[in-house]
Amino acid sequence: MTDLKGIRGKTVRGESCTLEEFQSRYGLETDEAKRLYERFGPSMTELDLLMAAKRRVPAL
């Protein structure tokens, strides 16, 4: 597991991703993707957990 310092000094769990990768993966509007990415950081693990809680599945 990779530990990196992300946005606001939070430790990033697992793989990190870009805003564009996150937006594309979940088919999000730019504003929503940016808001979530800035709030929760670039950790794909954290973002996947967040989107699962919102009952959103990755777009294929």
Side-chain angles (χ1 to χ4, degrees):
M1 183 183 315
T2 304
D3 283 340
L4 302 171
K5 290 291 181 180
I7 296 172
R8 292 192 226 153
K10 285 181 73 174
T11 299
V12 176
R13 292 184 355 186
E15 303 248 349
S16 63
C17 68
T18 65
L19 173 61
E20 292 78 18
E21 289 170 335
F22 174 57
Q23 181 180 0
S24 174
R25 182 178 173 109
Y26 287 99
L28 300 171
E29 296 291 327
T30 302
D31 291 340
E32 181 182 8
K34 185 176 179 181
R35 181 180 58 80
L36 294 172
Y37 189 86
E38 288 175 350
R39 184 166 181 193
F40 294 97
S43 167
M44 188 52 81
T45 301
E46 296 292 332
L47 294 170
D48 284 344
L49 288 170
L50 169 69
M51 297 309 284
K54 292 175 158 272
R55 301 193 191 288
R56 298 281 304 261
V57 295
L60 299 176

